[in-house]
Amino acid sequence: MGLKDMEYLISPYLWDRDVIKGALEDINYPPVEGVDYTIHGHSFVQQPFKHHNRIYIDTGGVFTNNLTIAKIEREKVLTFSTGVGKWIPLN
């Protein structure tokens, strides 16, 4: 398999926004299998959120100056956004 074939296969997973759009509309997508968590950016959300084991943290820092980071401690996921100023657990 050549590089072009690999790019074709990987591209939807890097750039597709169907899952995040669906998660925001309460569509119940299954968790990503084989990993504890996946952390997503490049798709602006008003506030960080978790959908199963997907964690979305892009709060639009380039537009809003609200930068967000995530910290995972065992089974607990916390996010810190500069616009909020404190650690908040994600459910």
Side-chain angles (χ1 to χ4, degrees), residues 8-59:
Y8 175 77
L9 292 173
I10 293 171
S11 183
Y13 296 100
L14 292 175
W15 303 112
D16 188 13
R17 290 187 168 94
D18 289 343
V19 174
I20 188 171
K21 287 178 185 175
L24 287 168
E25 296 171 3
D26 292 328
I27 295 174
N28 192 20
Y29 287 101
V32 178
E33 294 183 16
V35 297
D36 292 333
Y37 296 101
T38 59
I39 310 237
H40 302 264
H42 202 67
S43 292
F44 175 74
V45 293
Q46 293 295 319
Q47 61 189 30
F49 78 97
K50 184 165 81 93
H51 182 75
H52 295 297
N53 61 347
R54 295 175 174 95
I55 302 167
Y56 296 92
I57 64 168
D58 187 341
T59 49

Side-chain angles (χ1 to χ4, degrees), residues 48 55 57 68-71 77-81 86-90:
I55 302 167
I57 64 168
T68 299
I69 59 173
K71 175 168 65 170
V77 178
L78 302 164
T79 60
F80 183 96
S81 296
K86 63 181 180 179
W87 289 99
I88 297 179
L90 293 181

